[in-house]
Amino acid sequence: MEIENMSPDPMNLRQRQELREHKYFSPYASFSDASLGRDVEEPPCDIRTVYQRDRDRILHCKAFRRLKQKTQVFLAPTGDHYRTRLTHTLEVAQIARTISRALELNEDLTEAIALGHDLGHTPFGHAGERALNMVCKEGFQHHLQSIRVVELLEKHGQGLNLTKEVRDGIKNHQTKGMPMTLEGKIVRLSDKIAYINHDIDDAIRGKIIREDEIPDKYREVLGFSVKERLNCLIHDIVMSSEGKDDILMSEQIKRAMFELRSYMFQNVYTNPIAKGQEGKAEHLVINLYEYYYNHISLLPRDYIDLIEKKGETKERVVCDYIAGMSDGYAINRFQELFVPKFWNIY
């Protein structure tokens, strides 16, 4: 009996995309079909690559939505145009994608890391982070908290089950980090490019500094406006990194960028006008931490389960709860717990 000649199943859309990556990407790119995978193995999607799925999971998670009401630099600014933690994240993603595409690297991986890099940030920006780090004996760092969000806290303690490459990029986005992929290295630099320049823009809008007050030794190298500086920094990374198995900057541009960053720390990030409310924010966060540490039973059920079923410490879980709060929610909880209300007998 003759066996019918069966042609192989045609490739699905995901497989076609993976094939295109090998055809068009740089040999130094992170190829989707060569990912180190997830902690819990899953059947592949027939449409999306692994990094596209990770990007979508981050975009749809609750922690991402809360970023829209978390401080970037200026606490409770009176104006619609100041950055929040969410708009910062989107600007990082845009810059990182531009660089990744220009270098023929994996734009989907780059975007996933960028969108997830600040998921663990506290309310009130770095003031909230400092407060939790001071009061919690186990310490607190937002990049490590971002990893807890995607590995443990989202989806009622199940986490998002992201690929190792995305989690590595999120964990190592800070200045001292060393990501394992070029895409992660792009996000690490894009984070700094974004916040230095949009914080200058916000500081000028808030009349904290003027453009012409920025020292000329930085402006003459990087540019005389936010637009010029962004253009200079992005071009420098692309030109310095093209065809190389690394993400680089020229020494002159890199030095000027980090010196400008130091200028921002001295004149904006510690400015008493811009940061005058931070002491109050730290006091609020510390009081919330101490209250919930002493009243664990008042935490939401998901957080109590982390202690009772997964063996997490009280200190860490209280940090998880407070770090997840938006600015407004934290203020409301503080008012409900510590501000007396008028008694109405009618």
Side-chain angles (χ1 to χ4, degrees):
M1 178 178 178
E2 277 190 16
I3 299 176
E4 185 177 352
N5 184 20
M6 299 288 290
S7 60
D9 292 335
M11 288 189 293
N12 62 35
L13 293 175
R14 171 186 53 78
Q15 292 169 323
R16 293 179 200 172
Q17 290 188 76
E18 292 170 348
L19 189 62
R20 284 196 297 270
E21 289 182 3
H22 285 279
K23 185 175 181 180
Y24 295 111
F25 280 6
S26 162
Y28 305 118
S30 298
F31 296 100
S32 299
D33 61 358
S35 169
L36 296 175
R38 312 179 187 280
D39 285 350
V40 179
E41 189 174 348
E42 301 177 10
C45 177
D46 62 336
I47 296 176
R48 297 168 298 164
T49 67
V50 289
Y51 301 136
Q52 289 171 349
R53 293 182 83 182
D54 284 0
R55 174 203 59 202
D56 294 349
R57 290 177 184 187
I58 292 168
L59 190 64
H60 289 285
C61 77
K62 292 185 293 185
F64 185 80
R65 296 197 292 275
R66 291 196 298 268
L67 295 177
K68 70 180 182 293
Q69 293 178 331
K70 290 192 177 188
T71 293
Q72 171 58 24
V73 170
F74 296 97
L75 178 63
T78 55
D80 294 335
H81 299 141
Y82 292 93
R83 270 72 171 189
T84 65
R85 190 61 58 177
L86 177 60
T87 54
H88 160 72
T89 294
L90 296 176
E91 291 185 36
V92 173
Q94 180 270 318
I95 292 168
R97 286 176 56 202
T98 297
I99 297 170
S100 187
R101 183 177 296 184
L103 293 174
E104 298 176 335
L105 299 176
N106 196 316
E107 193 175 336
D108 296 321
L109 172 58
T110 305
E111 186 177 25
I113 296 170
L115 292 177
H117 83 280
D118 269 355
L119 290 177
H121 235 301
T122 59
F124 314 115
H126 290 286
E129 182 175 17
R130 284 194 303 272
L132 286 181
N133 191 49
M134 285 189 295
V135 74
C136 177
K137 67 180 183 181
E138 296 182 3
F140 182 91
Q141 298 179 72
H142 80 270
H143 65 284
L144 299 180
Q145 188 66 20
S146 296
I147 290 297
R148 281 184 65 82
V149 168
V150 300
E151 290 185 344
L152 178 65
L153 301 180
E154 277 292 324
K155 296 183 67 176
H156 307 289
Q158 298 179 55
L160 301 179
N161 196 31
L162 304 180
T163 58
K164 184 174 181 179
E165 291 83 1
V166 172
R167 287 179 286 145
D168 170 82
I170 292 171
K171 182 179 180 180
N172 290 292
H173 77 269
Q174 76 279 21
T175 300
K176 63 183 178 181
M178 189 53 63
M180 64 189 293
T181 65
L182 298 191
E183 291 82 1
K185 291 180 179 181
I186 288 174
V187 174
R188 175 180 170 273
L189 283 177
S190 297
D191 182 35
K192 291 153 191 61
I193 292 171
Y195 73 66
I196 290 170
N197 285 284
H198 66 49
D199 292 349
I200 289 174
D201 190 37
D202 282 354
I204 292 171
R205 177 174 291 106
K207 297 181 171 54
I208 305 301
I209 60 172
R210 299 192 312 270
E211 173 65 42
D212 59 11
E213 290 179 329
I214 301 172
D216 284 343
K217 61 181 178 179
Y218 310 139
R219 301 170 78 212
E220 288 170 358
V221 175
L222 300 175
F224 291 86
S225 68
V226 169
K227 178 180 178 180
E228 288 183 8
R229 286 186 286 270
L230 285 171
N231 188 61
C232 170
L233 289 162
I234 292 169
H235 273 79
D236 184 73
I237 292 175
V238 171
M239 295 301 106
S240 300
S241 306
E242 191 171 19
K244 297 183 177 69
D245 188 15
D246 202 358
I247 302 301
L248 305 168
M249 298 179 72
S250 66
E251 283 304 315
Q252 181 188 30
I253 300 297
K254 181 179 180 180
R255 187 184 317 112
M257 183 184 82
F258 279 96
E259 288 178 355
L260 178 58
R261 179 174 177 264
S262 297
Y263 168 85
M264 290 294 290
F265 272 97
Q266 295 168 12
N267 294 275
V268 175
Y269 301 140
T270 57
N271 183 284
I273 298 174
K275 314 301 278 184
Q277 300 295 310
E278 285 198 347
K280 297 178 184 178
E282 291 177 4
H283 174 77
L284 183 154
V285 169
I286 289 171
N287 275 272
L288 286 178
Y289 177 91
E290 292 176 344
Y291 180 86
Y292 282 109
Y293 182 82
N294 292 310
H295 300 85
I296 288 292
S297 63
L298 298 181
L299 290 175
R301 185 71 244 176
D302 284 351
Y303 293 91
I304 295 174
D305 285 345
L306 291 175
I307 298 171
E308 295 181 349
K309 298 181 180 180
K310 297 199 173 183
E312 299 287 332
T313 65
K314 288 171 56 176
E315 292 86 356
R316 185 55 54 205
V317 171
V318 173
C319 281
D320 291 336
Y321 181 50
I322 295 173
M325 295 179 178
S326 64
D327 292 13
Y329 187 82
I331 291 171
N332 289 338
R333 295 304 302 145
F334 182 87
Q335 290 175 333
E336 290 175 7
L337 294 172
F338 299 109
V339 179
K341 298 179 177 64
F342 288 107
W343 183 51
N344 188 345
I345 63 173
Y346 299 104

